[in-house]
Structure formats: C-alpha cells, structure tokens
Amino acid sequence: LGQVGNDTEGEAYLKYLKENHIDAATLIAETVTGQAYIFAIPATGENSILIVGGANQQYDQNMPLPEAWVQAI
C-alpha cells in the first residue's frame, strides 16, 4: 500500500502501474511523490540514506481504506 503525489514523478508511476494492469486510482495524494537518495562512499563502504516522505508521509492511518485495498489485504 502506498501513495504517489500529484506531480511528474507520480504521473510516471501511475502510467507504469496502469500499463501493468494495476488499479492505482486511489493512490494519488495532494502533495509531491516521496523520494529516497542513497549516498555511498566507495572507499569506506559507508552510506547514508536521505528520505523525503512526500505522499506516503501524508497517509492518514485513520482514513478508511478503499475497498480494493481491503480486498488486496
């Protein structure tokens, strides 16, 4: 379960899902799509991950789930 934003990245995700016959009509949030960036230091093998929550961070756990989600669970 997740959400995409109403931005260019969200449109790209929705297009991909639709092309693969995945119903994503209820996944759109009124914000930007989240992003994650991984910064790696090859010499040491260390890394850092920066997460921008975006649409998934806007999900309200008290919101009733769409019927399609209930059936999927």
Side-chain angles (χ1 to χ4, degrees):
L1 303 177
Q3 298 185 119
V4 298
N6 57 354
D7 54 5
T8 304
E9 288 83 4
E11 289 175 14
Y13 284 122
L14 291 173
K15 181 179 181 225
Y16 172 81
L17 294 170
K18 184 175 181 179
E19 288 171 352
N20 288 278
H21 310 286
I22 298 169
D23 179 9
T26 59
L27 299 180
I28 304 168
E30 294 297 320
T31 188
V32 297
T33 301
Q35 305 284 325
Y37 304 92
I38 302 172
F39 302 96
I41 303 170
T44 64
E46 295 180 30
N47 65 57
S48 295
I49 302 172
L50 171 66
I51 298 173
V52 180
N56 281 327
Q57 193 171 11
Q58 299 298 319
Y59 179 75
D60 178 0
Q61 60 185 327
N62 296 316
M63 179 176 78
L65 293 174
E67 185 59 31
W69 290 17
V70 173
Q71 291 177 8
I73 298 171

